[in-house]
């Protein structure tokens, strides 16, 4: 079993900022470079996929793996110590392996090739376990965020469609009101003309009857 220190939460979980679902861990302002202590061999750019060369998290996560690998090391000489020794001399130099093995024998007299291979497999198995765990976490977080984005886009698209439909209805209503406005004068012109004629007739009738009455009043005053 891997040690408890082999806990790589920092790969996907930022304990200070990732306090709710759907939040993405904050991207570091400056990529962290691996420390100069015990670490994986320096890889040439050819060892990484092209799209990883501009990944700002690469060095940070590479260091996490390095420290996780180191945390698995147990007291005494085993694959880890041979690994470090070989890296220091050269991984393609046959003598580096012989020198490391000889040094290991002085520390652990019963050291064997089989033991080293067994421990090497152990480290690989533990790293694969943790990788699988956090690969699953990463995929789950990505799927959750994708679902959240999809839902938000759907809801916004629906709101936009509803608003567009309302706008179309309002435009139709606006056009209908404009047509009604244009019809008001023609439709009511005849009625307005009739009312005006009646008002004019009322004025004339009043004037006529008053003139007649006043004429008689004048006559009374003059002739009686």
């Amino acid at each position: 079993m891997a040690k408890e220190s082999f806990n790589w939460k920092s790969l996907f979980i930022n304990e200070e900022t990732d306090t709710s679902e759907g939040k993405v861990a904050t991207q570091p302002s400056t990529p962290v470079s691996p420390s100069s202590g015990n670490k994986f061999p320096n890889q040439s750019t050819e060892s990484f996929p092209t799209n990883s060369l501009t990944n700002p998290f690469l060095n940070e996560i590479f260091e996490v793996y390095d420290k996780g690998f180191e945390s698995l090391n147990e007291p005494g000489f085993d694959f880890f110590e041979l690994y470090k020794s070989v890296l220091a001399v050269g991984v393609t130099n046959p003598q580096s392996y012989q020198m490391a093995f000889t040094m290991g024998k002085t520390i652990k007299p019963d050291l064997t090739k089989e033991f080293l291979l067994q421990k090497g497999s152990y480290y690989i198995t533990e790293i694969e376990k943790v990788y699988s765990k956090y690969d699953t976490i990463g995929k789950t977080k990505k799927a959750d965020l994708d679902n959240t984005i999809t839902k938000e886009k759907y809801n916004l698209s629906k709101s936009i469609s509803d608003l567009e439909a309302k706008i179309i209805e309002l435009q139709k209503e606006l056009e209908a009101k404009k047509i009604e406005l244009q019809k008001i004068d023609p439709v009511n012109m005849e009625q307005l003309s009739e009312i005006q004629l009646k008002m004019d007739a009322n004025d004339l009738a009043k004037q006529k009857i008053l003139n007649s009455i006043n004429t008689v009043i004048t006559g009374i005053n003059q002739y009686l």
Side-chain angles (χ1 to χ4, degrees), residues 40-58:
F40 293 136
N42 293 326
Q43 302 290 334
S44 67
T45 56
E46 294 179 357
S47 300
F48 296 108
T50 302
N51 60 353
S52 296
L53 298 180
T54 57
N55 188 331
F57 296 101
L58 182 60

Side-chain angles (χ1 to χ4, degrees), residues 88-100:
V89 179
V91 294
T92 59
N93 184 351
Q95 292 182 348
S96 65
Y97 293 87
Q98 295 296 330
M99 292 171 56

Side-chain angles (χ1 to χ4, degrees), residues 211-224:
N211 287 341
S212 177
I213 292 172
N214 286 328
T215 299
V216 173
I217 290 173
T218 299
I220 292 174
N221 289 325
Q222 289 182 349
Y223 303 121
L224 294 180

